[in-house]
Structures are given as C-alpha cells and as structure tokens.
Amino acid sequence: MTTYAPLPIPAATLTELRGTDDAGRPMEPYTARADGAPVDCVGSPLRCCLRAIEEGEQVALVSYAPLRRWAAETGATPGAYDEQGPVFIHAQPCPGPDPAAAPYPHAHAGALRTLRRYDRQGRIAGGRYFEIPEDAGAGFEAAFDEAFADPEVAAVHVRALEYGCFLYEVRRP
C-alpha cells in the first residue's frame, strides 16, 4: 500500500497554463517527434498525467510556479522560495494519471532526484539527494517517511537532479 500520493498539476491550473504560463507567456504547442524537433522531449515527464511523453503527442513546455499555487490555496508566504521553472504538459486536457500505473511516477532505478521539503509557510525546510533504488516504491516510502517525520514539513517536491525540474508534489498525509 502507498502512503503518499504524488500529485499532478491540478486541472484548473493546467487550464490557466494552457492560456498563459506563470512567466506570462502564451502556450506554444507542438508535436513530440523522435528526431527532437522542435524540442527534444519524447520520454520526458508530463506533469499533467505523470507519465512519459510519447511520439506524436501534442505537448507544450510551459513555466510553472508550484509553490505559488500552493501558497494561494493555503495562505503560505514563500517569499523568495516562490520559483518557477519549465514543465511539459499536454497541449489539450488529458484524463490525468492512470490509477493502474506504478505509485511513484518517473521512478527508474538509478535515476537521481532531489526531495525538497517545504514548511507550512512555503519556505525550504531541508531536502535530500535520492537515488531511486531497484524497489522504487519502498525507497520513496522511506524517503517520504523521513521527510514527514519532521512535523514542520507540509509538502515535498520531487525534482530531477540533472536539471532541477519539478516532477511532482507530495503533501503531508
């Protein structure tokens, strides 16, 4: 059983990002191609449905500020920690994550992640480097147990180590 729920970007937020992203730019959709034109993205993580991009899909690379949205919901004041970065989304609404998929998306053994912890005010409350083990589910469960053992931690952002890109959020259960 999975204790923690990886959260995709919420549908209402996706609707906003498909109009204007968090950097104020209009969405520019394109078709994902194996040759990498116009953007090398096949196999990259989608944050709307928490799976990899497949060739032929209509996608977009948009700027997203995950803490800003969370702060608006909770009344937090992240200040300078309110950062934004690039994320891939489907250019049109999709059904979201597949409930039958593995509990932790983008969890390839050996992949490197940063688990960044945030307190209730949206400020960084620690973090850790994480190499995904063969048993990804057990590894993530232990890492989230460790993070939420600190009563100040309200949310954890899972990010790719290579680029620092936001992959998904896990909130305190």
Side-chain angles (χ1 to χ4, degrees), residues 44-68:
S44 294
L46 287 157
R47 282 37 166 240
C48 48
C49 54
L50 302 180
R51 66 167 178 79
I53 296 172
E54 297 174 3
E55 185 175 3
E57 291 189 284
Q58 290 290 305
V59 297
L61 184 61
V62 298
S63 184
Y64 174 55
L67 237 103
R68 183 179 310 163

Side-chain angles (χ1 to χ4, degrees), residues 5-8 66-67 70 118 155-158 166-171:
L7 302 173
L67 237 103
W70 176 77
Y118 292 92
V156 175
H157 286 183
V158 176
F166 171 85
L167 295 173
Y168 58 87
E169 174 181 271
V170 172
R171 294 186 183 178

Side-chain angles (χ1 to χ4, degrees), residues 40-123:
D40 187 16
C41 66
V42 172
S44 294
L46 287 157
R47 282 37 166 240
C48 48
C49 54
L50 302 180
R51 66 167 178 79
I53 296 172
E54 297 174 3
E55 185 175 3
E57 291 189 284
Q58 290 290 305
V59 297
L61 184 61
V62 298
S63 184
Y64 174 55
L67 237 103
R68 183 179 310 163
R69 308 294 180 149
W70 176 77
E73 280 178 40
T74 64
T77 55
Y81 296 107
D82 177 26
E83 61 186 340
Q84 62 191 30
V87 295
F88 288 106
I89 62 173
H90 278 117
Q92 297 296 322
C94 70
D98 177 355
Y104 296 106
H106 321 301
H108 313 289
L112 305 176
R113 301 290 183 250
T114 299
L115 304 181
R116 194 179 297 169
R117 304 167 186 177
Y118 292 92
D119 68 14
R120 287 176 179 76
Q121 287 304 309
R123 296 185 180 99

